[in-house]
Amino acid sequence: MGYRKTDGAESTRVIEPAELTATTSGAITVRGHDRLRGEDRAFRIDRIVNCRLTEVG
């Protein structure tokens, strides 16, 4: 997925999504394993600029 960070820079991430959650401030996030970082992370959906499904295998 294409993701825009708070500073406006965009990066490409490959994640294994696990769940959608809402923060206390009302932002919706997708939580999952970020293959680039090698750890579980949360991504705000309003910062996702594009995405596509791929086969995992």
Side-chain angles (χ1 to χ4, degrees):
M1 71 179 181
Y3 190 73
R4 184 174 296 118
K5 297 186 278 185
T6 54
D7 66 2
E10 289 188 16
S11 64
T12 300
R13 304 295 180 94
V14 177
I15 66 166
E16 298 171 25
E19 66 181 344
L20 289 175
T21 59
T23 66
T24 55
S25 64
I28 306 296
T29 64
V30 59
R31 294 184 145 285
H33 185 74
D34 180 350
R35 289 189 179 181
L36 178 68
R37 301 282 189 229
E39 58 189 34
D40 291 344
R41 310 230 19 190
F43 300 91
R44 286 179 40 162
I45 62 169
D46 62 324
R47 294 189 185 150
I48 297 172
V49 293
N50 60 55
C51 64
R52 65 182 169 92
L53 297 176
T54 60
E55 290 292 324
V56 176

